[in-house]
Amino acid sequence: MASTTTAEVPAAESSETELTIGGMTCASCAARVEKKLNRMEGVTATVNYATEKAHVSFGEGTEVADLVAVVEKTGYTARPVPRPAPAPPPSAAPGPTAGGTAPAGAPATDGEEASAAEGAATDTLAALRQRLLVSAVLSLPVVLLAMVPALQFDNWQWLSLTLAAPVVVWGGLPFHRATWTNLRHGAATMDTLVSIGTLAAFGWSLWALFLGDAGMPGMRHGFDLTASRADASSTIYLEVASGVITFILLGRYLEARSKRKAGSALRALMHLGAKDVAVLRDGTEVRVPVGRLAVGDRFVVRPGEKIATDGTVVEGVSAVDAALLTGESVPVDVSAGDEVTGATVNVSGRLVVEATRVGADTQLARMAKLVEDAQNGKAAVQRLADRISAVFVPVVLLIALGTLVTWLLLTDDATAAFTAAVAVLIIACPCALGLATPTALMVGTGRGAQLGILIKGPEVLETTRRVDTIVLDKTGTVTTGRMTLLNVHTTDGTTETDVLRIAGALEHSSEHPIAQAVATGAAAKVGTLPTPEDFTNVPGLGVRGTVDGHRALVGRPKLLTEAGITLPPPLAAAMTEAAERGRTAVAVAWDGEARAVLEVADAIKDTSAEAVAELRALGLRPVLLTGDNRAVADSVARATGIDEVYAEVLPQEKVDVIRRLRAEGRTVAMVGDGVNDAAALATADLGLAMGTGTDAAIEASDLTLVRGDLKVAADAIRLSRSTLATIRGNLFWAFGYNVAALPLAAFGLLNPMIAGAAMAFSSVFVVTNSLRLRSFT
């Protein structure tokens, strides 16, 4: 076994690291590595069989080299997963190299690491396929000769031996090698059961052929689905030895291929980013690898290209397609001042973007890290399965020995006793137990990432099942979070176009949020706005000025009253109605006459009402939580179908509301997006943060919804519940299979070869069941 020297391993810089573990063949291997690491002082480790990684926390005095050494002493290989290199400062950003490649010694990017790992996995899969195909070709005649007596000719048993021997020795070499390694370390795994069972069957056959009557010319051999009761000296088990190894190799191959599919979403996420970028250096475009990009660099993105990293548009107008990253199908318009995310695609115009985050700080890298952390974690149900797997193999060895002794004592039939004992060894592999949770987690979290749903850890899944109340922050969650022009009420003889043109022109010169809402809404409907003359801002009341020769006023009714202008009854009624609906009303007058009332409010998102209905369908009781006034809150609640409302709540009081709901016996989920929601998100049983919100909210949450759409919250809960249901279904199958099959084998009701096939396909079933989550919509 290759060892890793201390010099090859970087010294620990922090209290956490990740190791890639090689040589694990089943869940009990993972349990053993985890147990050995956790015995080290100050070390807490979680080993995941499906992802083949260990996440380790350690204290002072321990280095990564020490962790690697312990894993190697346990009989496996370990390699630290490299950390992303820190981003270079703008001044240190190097120029291009020939061919646009990174210089020698440059740290590998996440994508390069992923590619290397993928290449190694492909090589392993190819070697396993070759071993399987050779073993299958050699084993098929052996199995047919044993199962169909009509095919048996004189000395057929010697042909069977010739064909079976390479399968047992070479085909089963991975099992025998792992068994020997484990025995040297005083341990037993699934490989131990397979190796002992197949070597025992092969050894018995050699004894019967060379020292018994089985080698006699003309010998015929029947096949029984249960334990054989023939004469011991004339019974051979070559079909069991070769057939079991072939079946288990087939199971291993299908399992390995399915595990690769299960992790495909994360690999796709890692490969989303651009590979190189056109950076502006002294006004000239220079093509450099993305790894050289630094914060503050400005780079060009042409139509059809991927945006290299997170940044702010400084030049240009375009539409950006974020479907690969968020699942959102409609491109979003961007212009100077708008933020863009790395790995999204520039659809139309040329953009110049200033980098604000690079490397591990980008949204793509953080998404990939969140998904990987979730896949490396363990749900409570999996911890139970791990504990069972750790003691299962030694218990099975004892059961097999007990079966052999009991059969001999009760029947004095050595052949039946041996058959039953070998069947116990082969049927009992706990592999399906070890795969039940990790594969479902890999597929579920990976599919979530494709849909813009980031699940922080497996324990989140348990909570989604229990949640019965969902608290929705209003601003930015149910509503857009920005003031929008919603309605225009005009007097007879006044056109909406004239109102918007004059009011929009004046408000465009004001920086007030309500004024900007009016200006933006007006520009969207009438196009270019004229420039006002004699513009004056009247603090607390509104604005006045001259537009196209008309002396105009836009603002509160008091502004018009002070100018001697009275609102006619229809406009006064519109004002009153707007106030009752929690909206802000803006009066418009020109040439000494009131002309219109504009309604401005924080608009409800188009999908919010539908999202609330979906949350109700999931059995959740929606609650609206806002610091806004009661009229606004009630208006939003009515429009979206929410019955329970908490209004005029200060930021620090949001936590109290969550606690009050929990004190009533409810299990509470909270959806929010702002800094003022972070404490409430952390207090709730389940926190869901809008990815369009602040870092504080995202950090405090359990689920992050990359898209700012409340419907994704319902999708997130459905996906989490589906993933948990799949895990539970897998574990039920794995537990039930072992519990039911062991007694059948012990009572002599299973032929060892049939047991080998059943055991192999139990693992395949669990992985295939998990892969169904890939079709979640």
Side-chain angles (χ1 to χ4, degrees), residues 52 108 114 172 180 248 264 333 353 379 477 604 613 616 679 690 712 762 776:
E52 297 176 342
W180 173 243
I248 294 175
S264 61
D333 292 330
V353 179
T477 301
I604 296 169
R616 282 191 185 278
M690 292 289 190
V712 184
S762 71
F776 177 90

Side-chain angles (χ1 to χ4, degrees), residues 75-112:
Y76 304 90
T77 62
R79 182 172 55 85
V81 177
R83 293 190 186 93
S91 59
T97 56
T101 56
T109 64
D110 286 345
E112 289 167 347

Side-chain angles (χ1 to χ4, degrees), residues 525-549:
K525 290 189 176 183
V526 301
T528 306
L529 299 171
T531 303
E533 299 171 6
D534 303 325
F535 173 81
T536 305
N537 183 28
V538 184
L541 292 180
V543 293
R544 64 163 64 99
T546 302
V547 181
D548 292 341

